[in-house]
Amino acid sequence: MQMKAMSAVEKEPEPRRGPRYYDIITASIAVFSRTNYEKATTALIAKEAGVAEGTLYKYFPNKKELFLACFRYIGQLLMERSEEHTSELQ
């Protein structure tokens, strides 16, 4: 059986979105900002988000994917605000 390498075009599957997704993202951003990646435990993030630690894993497979989702979320916000600002200038 031959293993196929993931190409640059193929992406990791998107995390499951649900009612607590953005609560977890915003709480994670706050925790990562106050501490750092190493000190930001999933228990601390869950407490900040007001969810059980196991709930984090329903949305994200691990802390790294949660961190990357935060990064993508912030990038998306920056792009949206940049586009709004650009359209106001025209």
Side-chain angles (χ1 to χ4, degrees):
M1 177 181 243
Q2 198 174 44
M3 298 294 286
K4 182 179 147 187
M6 185 179 284
S7 73
V9 176
E10 295 177 42
K11 295 182 180 178
E12 290 288 321
E14 281 285 321
R16 186 174 79 82
R17 305 278 170 118
R20 303 307 306 261
Y21 179 84
Y22 290 106
D23 294 337
I24 294 168
I25 291 288
T26 55
S28 299
I29 292 168
V31 172
F32 288 130
S33 297
R34 279 196 315 267
T35 62
N36 62 40
Y37 181 81
E38 294 300 322
K39 292 180 182 176
T41 64
T42 54
L44 187 57
I45 292 167
K47 183 177 179 183
E48 180 91 12
V51 299
E53 190 173 358
T55 303
L56 295 179
Y57 294 103
K58 289 183 178 181
Y59 293 89
F60 306 95
N62 54 51
K63 186 171 79 168
K64 178 184 174 185
E65 290 303 318
L66 174 54
F67 182 79
L68 293 173
C70 292
F71 183 78
R72 286 188 292 271
Y73 176 74
I74 292 168
Q76 179 184 354
L77 289 178
L78 289 172
M79 290 299 295
E80 289 171 3
R81 290 182 182 164
S82 174
E83 289 169 2
E84 288 171 7
H85 182 68
T86 301
S87 66
E88 289 173 3
L89 295 175
Q90 294 177 350

